[in-house]
Amino acid sequence: MPRLSSTTPMSPLRLRARHSSSTSHPSRIWDPHTAFATATERARSGNLTPEDAHHLFDELLRQANPVQERPLNNLLAALARAPASAACSDGPALAVNLFSRISQGARRRVAHPTACTYGILMGCCCRANRQDLALAFFARLLRTGLKAGVIEVNTLLKGLCRAKRADEALDILLHRMPELGCTPNVVAYNTVIHGFFREGQVGKACNLFHEMRQQGVTPDVVTYNSVIDALCKAKAMDNAEYFLGQMVDDGVVSDNVTYNSLIHGYSSSGHWKEAVRVFKEMTSRRVTPDLHTYNMFMTFLCNHGRSKEAAGIFDSMAMKGLKPDNVSYAIRLHGYATEGCLVDMINLFNSMERDCILPDCRIFSILIYAYAKSGKLDKAMLIFNEMQKQGVSPNAVTYSTVIDAFCKKGQLDDAMIKFNQMIDTGVRQGTAVYRSLIQGFCTHGDLVKAKELLTEMMNKGIPPPDIKFFHSIMQNLCTEGRVIEARDILGLIAHIGMRPNVCTFNILIGGYCLVRKMADASKVFDDMVSYGLEPCNFTYGILINGYCKNRRIDDGLILFKEMLHKGLKPTTVNYNVILDGLFLAGQTVAAKEKFDEMVESGVSVCIDTYSIVLGGLCRNSCSSEAITLFRKLSAMNVKFDIKIVNIIIGAFYRVKRNQEAKDLFAAIPANGLVPNAVTYTIMMTNLIKEGSVEEADNLFLSMEKSGSTANSWMLNHIIRRLLERGEIVKAGNYMSKVDVKSYSLEAKTVSLLISLFSREGEYRDHIKLLPIKYQFLEKPATVE
């Protein structure tokens, strides 16, 4: 950022006094016009140093030979627009410093600033986000008696809007400009409208759009593009289309920016067809799509797992004469990385050389992320090292990706080496890298180091992770059964000044329930109350579920009544937990009463509730009752899922109503459902049981043709049922399928094989009918 003084441009602190070492007059006449023209060309080419510029002004002040306004303005404008270079790192700041020198030498009349001069200087200040100095220059312009033109005021408006001070800009636009005799033009309105959009004040922007029309100022393509782009970013596509129509009615010709905004709006909202429609409209109006247009389409496709289609668009770009850039490659590489298509990703990366495009840090970071995500950390590190060999320095994202991968692998020493390297190379450490390290040390039991990192990040002014972050760690630990370690995380939460909340205690209660330590779960519940937190429905639900799953339904019912006594209205989930617990405990009558209570109390009954009730009835030998309830619910047009259909198919078979089971299976597609592995398992095992082995085989073939895949659980069930029926050859065929899919036989299946094919087994003589791999029970040869 340019270093501009906080004082006004007239402050003597801004004067850099320079004196020539010689007191004699030069032997030749110095021409300021030529000298300034030469300096301007050097400024434009980026090789004018601050020292040379100040020497020029030394000479100007010493000679007292005035420079005309145009050469002066040209030099200041060149410096104002000059990008940072080796010769001059801050052109705008240099321009202001130079002007300060001649303004303090004004008594010698070496320059005659114009309104244009002040406009240039105001632009310099605005680029440096020093709107206070811009306003000071504007005030001085007015004090000199010079008339401020539209260009100068627009410069000020642009600076205010860039600083998110659109309301002040609006006041100048509507009040100060008329007072100064300066009529706002379309550029002025565009600047303020865009400023309001940048601040998210869509209403004010649209009001100003209508105001400019009322004032007789006709919106141009920039105006409409600003409005349409903002509405598209806000996902207000109907409004954006309205303004597009108004744009056409006004005779304003739309351009790439217009259509790109609409395409981005639709594609980012997931409306692919609408984005394509806009693209077709764009080309029909002879507006040529640019690289950005194609990049947006590829982004959408890659974000939706359609990288192969994105490749087609990528190839079509070349046919249209558009050369892909780093962004194009990054989009496709990220798509392949997300989908895990590592071979395609590397092939694409290697093709960059063909297009003479050098990979940047973003490209390398994508490759590193892809390999790290797939667990190939060694390859990720090879790329990390290669990028540095090619002169590309890792940034915060690169380091964060590598450190996170090391932490997830438990290689915390390697993670810390990269973290220290990150510090040594001056790469800023943000929240992401600290979160990875803290989570890594918490997960692997080093809370002391985690606490040290928390302290370090707060000392650096980096906001610590929120409590949800710690909840995530606690939940993961509890899922692994490491509840005590999860409880120790409370110390870290307290260390950063946070208080545990209801969710914190819920996680711990659930963790203890999972490891069947109900006494500890109950104690955490009591601790929560002692801490001043009120348990919610969800809290009670977790503990009740724990009691029910541990077959302590009576304790669960007591807690359920306590919840009612405290005025908490049970939710659907609460009732579902109790119903499941009662059925699990075999208390079918009580479960049915509780279900009736749930319906009568007006609590919403969801598909999970019906699944629990129907499944519970079937498990407790009430299949006929389950079928009756199913019929009743069907008549009420209740929509079932495949899980419930599976339950009822099983119920039909259980009560020997086999044809009705088959009819229900056949009706599955008509109900908009798709059979799953459980459905096919129920059907096939029952078909085998009734002796319809060929029909079961045909069903399996139709399942495979439909695209469904048999899992290990399904194949093991089929094998056991075939073995029980004495279908050794058929069982052997399905055992071969287990091998092809790299599955394993379950303990039950192995046990059955041993009992049937051992020395005294029923089918000992048929062991040769099994695949060779499973003829392990054959009697070994003996020597007499």
Side-chain angles (χ1 to χ4, degrees):
M1 182 182 293
R3 300 177 188 173
L4 298 179
S5 169
S6 60
T7 61
T8 65
M10 294 298 292
S11 169
L13 294 175
R14 301 181 59 79
L15 180 61
R16 292 181 58 179
R18 290 177 181 265
H19 303 284
S20 175
S21 59
S22 172
T23 57
S24 62
H25 295 287
S27 58
R28 60 185 176 80
I29 298 174
W30 184 72
D31 180 10
H33 180 84
T34 303
F36 270 75
T38 302
T40 299
E41 289 304 315
R42 289 183 62 191
R44 287 171 180 162
S45 62
N47 59 21
L48 178 67
T49 65
E51 290 75 15
D52 290 343
H54 279 290
H55 283 312
L56 173 65
F57 276 70
D58 286 342
E59 192 67 19
L60 176 65
L61 291 167
R62 192 174 68 81
Q63 293 283 353
N65 188 4
V67 62
Q68 297 298 313
E69 62 183 68
R70 180 165 296 192
L72 173 64
N73 289 347
N74 286 344
L75 176 60
L76 295 177
L79 289 171
R81 299 189 187 100
S85 66
C88 181
S89 62
D90 197 340
L94 178 58
V96 173
N97 279 327
L98 293 173
F99 180 80
S100 295
R101 294 189 62 196
I102 60 172
S103 67
Q104 293 185 32
R107 289 189 300 272
R108 301 172 68 178
R109 298 294 179 187
V110 295
H112 299 279
T114 63
C116 179
T117 313
Y118 285 105
I120 294 167
L121 296 166
M122 288 159 57
C124 290
C125 297
C126 291
R127 287 185 183 90
N129 290 322
R130 289 300 306 272
Q131 281 69 34
D132 54 336
L133 295 180
L135 286 166
F137 273 121
F138 186 69
R140 183 173 177 189
L141 165 63
L142 299 178
R143 287 199 303 272
T144 62
L146 293 170
K147 179 176 172 56
V150 175
I151 294 175
E152 288 72 45
V153 179
N154 285 350
T155 300
L156 183 61
L157 294 176
K158 187 181 294 185
L160 289 170
C161 290
R162 185 179 293 171
K164 297 189 176 182
R165 293 163 63 178
D167 286 311
E168 294 175 56
L170 179 66
D171 181 63
I172 292 173
L173 175 74
L174 299 181
H175 303 109
R176 287 289 286 155
M177 286 186 77
E179 290 173 6
L180 295 169
C182 184
T183 304
N185 61 6
V186 68
V187 176
Y189 277 101
N190 288 348
T191 301
V192 183
I193 288 171
H194 185 66
F196 278 126
F197 278 130
R198 282 186 71 226
E199 294 180 32
Q201 301 191 63
V202 179
K204 288 185 178 181
C206 291
N207 289 340
L208 187 56
F209 175 85
H210 296 302
E211 172 72 17
M212 75 182 286
R213 293 173 68 90
Q214 292 173 6
Q215 294 297 324
V217 180
T218 305
D220 61 7
V221 68
V222 176
T223 322
Y224 277 107
N225 284 348
S226 182
V227 174
I228 290 171
D229 182 62
L231 292 171
C232 288
K233 286 175 179 173
K235 304 294 189 287
M237 299 310 298
D238 290 341
N239 292 335
E241 290 279 6
Y242 166 78
F243 277 100
L244 177 65
Q246 194 170 354
M247 183 179 186
V248 174
D249 293 341
D250 285 350
V252 179
V253 179
S254 50
D255 59 10
N256 282 72
V257 176
T258 319
Y259 287 106
N260 283 347
S261 295
L262 289 163
I263 290 169
H264 179 266
Y266 281 121
S267 61
S268 61
S269 302
H271 298 111
W272 171 253
K273 290 182 179 178
E274 288 300 310
V276 173
R277 176 187 63 77
V278 173
F279 179 80
K280 290 178 178 177
E281 180 182 329
M282 175 184 189
T283 52
S284 70
R285 292 182 180 273
R286 297 186 178 180
V287 178
T288 306
D290 57 14
L291 189 59
H292 182 53
T293 315
Y294 288 104
N295 283 347
M296 283 190 293
F297 276 114
M298 288 195 296
T299 299
F300 175 88
L301 291 169
C302 290
N303 285 346
H304 289 80
R306 297 162 65 180
S307 294
K308 301 293 184 185
E309 293 174 66
I313 291 179
F314 185 87
D315 294 336
S316 71
M317 287 166 57
M319 296 171 61
K320 292 178 171 63
L322 287 172
K323 183 181 178 181
D325 59 2
N326 269 68
V327 175
S328 311
Y329 276 100
I331 291 166
R332 286 192 60 201
L333 288 168
H334 188 267
Y336 284 135
T338 304
E339 294 174 36
C341 303
L342 302 185
V343 174
D344 291 326
M345 180 188 74
I346 286 300
N347 288 339
L348 178 63
F349 174 74
N350 291 334
S351 72
M352 291 180 70
E353 186 177 354
R354 181 193 63 209
D355 284 330
C356 301
I357 294 178
L358 294 174
D360 56 14
C361 185
R362 181 186 178 190
I363 298 287
F364 281 114
S365 295
I366 290 170
L367 301 183
I368 292 167
Y369 160 78
Y371 282 117
K373 179 187 173 187
S374 63
K376 299 178 179 179
L377 198 47
D378 290 342
K379 286 193 175 182
M381 290 311 302
L382 285 174
I383 294 172
F384 182 85
N385 295 329
E386 179 61 28
M387 72 182 287
Q388 293 177 88
K389 288 179 184 177
Q390 293 189 24
V392 181
S393 299
N395 63 10
V397 174
T398 322
Y399 275 110
S400 294
T401 303
V402 171
I403 290 169
D404 185 63
F406 277 131
C407 289
K408 284 187 169 73
K409 281 268 192 178
Q411 297 174 227
L412 297 174
D413 289 340
D414 292 322
M416 286 305 299
I417 288 170
K418 289 300 170 195
F419 180 67
N420 291 328
Q421 187 182 71
M422 186 179 187
I423 295 170
D424 294 340
T425 53
V427 178
R428 185 177 179 275
Q429 309 92 57
T431 303
V433 69
Y434 274 104
R435 283 170 66 102
S436 296
L437 288 167
I438 291 167
Q439 183 168 4
F441 282 107
C442 286
T443 303
H444 293 89
D446 192 347
L447 295 188
V448 174
K449 185 62 179 177
K451 184 176 181 180
E452 179 186 314
L453 288 164
L454 269 172
T455 304
E456 181 181 308
M457 74 182 295
M458 289 191 292
N459 289 341
K460 289 180 178 179
I462 302 172
D466 59 15
I467 199 163
K468 291 180 181 179
F469 168 77
F470 293 103
H471 287 167
S472 174
I473 297 172
M474 292 172 67
Q475 187 64 63
N476 291 337
L477 290 170
C478 286
T479 302
E480 295 175 10
R482 299 160 61 187
V483 191
I484 295 174
E485 292 174 69
R487 188 161 189 162
D488 290 339
I489 301 294
L490 292 175
L492 288 181
I493 294 175
H495 176 66
I496 58 176
M498 291 183 183
R499 283 174 55 84
N501 58 23
V502 173
C503 184
T504 317
F505 285 98
N506 286 350
I507 291 168
L508 291 173
I509 292 169
Y512 279 119
C513 290
L514 191 64
V515 295
R516 300 179 179 276
K517 293 185 176 181
M518 297 309 300
D520 291 320
S522 181
K523 184 177 183 307
V524 173
F525 183 88
D526 295 337
D527 289 344
M528 176 182 179
V529 176
S530 301
Y531 195 71
L533 295 172
E534 284 295 324
C536 61
N537 286 342
F538 191 64
T539 314
Y540 277 101
I542 294 169
L543 195 52
I544 292 170
N545 185 57
Y547 282 127
C548 292
K549 287 288 189 291
N550 286 280
R551 300 187 181 276
R552 292 173 58 179
I553 184 63
D554 292 337
D555 290 324
L557 288 169
I558 291 170
L559 206 57
F560 188 82
K561 291 176 182 178
E562 180 185 315
M563 181 175 68
L564 295 174
H565 180 71
K566 287 192 174 183
L568 290 172
K569 185 178 180 181
T571 63
T572 303
V573 174
N574 295 137
Y575 271 108
N576 286 353
V577 168
I578 283 293
L579 287 170
D580 193 43
L582 288 167
F583 280 120
L584 190 65
Q587 298 184 31
T588 310
V589 175
K592 289 190 284 186
E593 289 174 353
K594 190 62 70 176
F595 177 65
D596 292 337
E597 176 190 306
M598 177 183 183
V599 175
E600 290 169 6
S601 65
V603 176
S604 175
V605 179
C606 68
I607 197 74
D608 288 335
T609 313
Y610 291 127
S611 180
I612 290 167
V613 173
L614 293 169
L617 289 170
C618 291
R619 285 197 306 274
N620 288 278
S621 304
C622 300
S623 295
S624 295
E625 198 170 339
I627 293 169
T628 302
L629 178 59
F630 176 78
R631 296 289 193 204
K632 179 180 177 182
L633 294 172
S634 297
M636 296 166 58
N637 293 319
V638 173
K639 298 297 180 184
F640 300 114
D641 60 9
I642 193 64
K643 182 178 179 181
I644 288 179
V645 174
N646 291 343
I647 290 169
I648 301 303
I649 290 175
F652 277 130
Y653 274 118
R654 218 170 274 116
V655 296
K656 311 299 183 185
R657 293 160 66 174
N658 294 11
Q659 188 56 48
E660 289 177 80
K662 294 176 183 178
D663 292 341
L664 182 56
F665 174 78
I668 287 175
N671 289 310
L673 300 174
V674 178
N676 59 17
V678 175
T679 321
Y680 285 109
T681 303
I682 295 169
M683 290 299 299
M684 288 190 65
T685 52
N686 280 284
L687 286 171
I688 295 167
K689 184 179 179 181
E690 69 180 27
S692 304
V693 178
E694 292 300 325
E695 189 177 347
D697 275 345
N698 292 334
L699 185 60
F700 188 86
L701 291 173
S702 69
M703 177 194 76
E704 290 187 316
K705 286 180 181 178
S706 69
S708 297
T709 305
N711 57 25
S712 177
W713 176 83
M714 177 181 179
L715 291 172
N716 273 274
H717 269 72
I718 293 170
I719 291 166
R720 288 198 294 271
R721 188 52 54 92
L722 286 167
L723 289 172
E724 289 164 357
R725 289 282 304 178
E727 296 285 347
I728 311 303
V729 175
K730 293 283 188 185
N733 291 338
Y734 284 97
M735 289 164 75
S736 297
K737 295 180 189 296
V738 168
D739 295 338
V740 169
K741 294 180 179 293
S742 299
Y743 295 151
S744 301
L745 294 182
E746 295 174 357
K748 286 184 180 179
T749 311
V750 174
S751 177
L752 182 59
L753 280 170
I754 292 171
S755 67
L756 293 176
F757 294 96
S758 62
R759 186 175 302 175
E760 291 80 22
E762 183 180 354
Y763 300 118
R764 174 64 192 169
D765 295 336
H766 303 287
I767 194 168
K768 293 290 187 182
L769 298 177
L770 295 177
I772 295 175
K773 176 181 177 180
Y774 298 101
Q775 295 177 19
F776 56 88
L777 295 170
E778 188 172 6
K779 182 179 178 181
T782 59
V783 179
E784 296 184 2

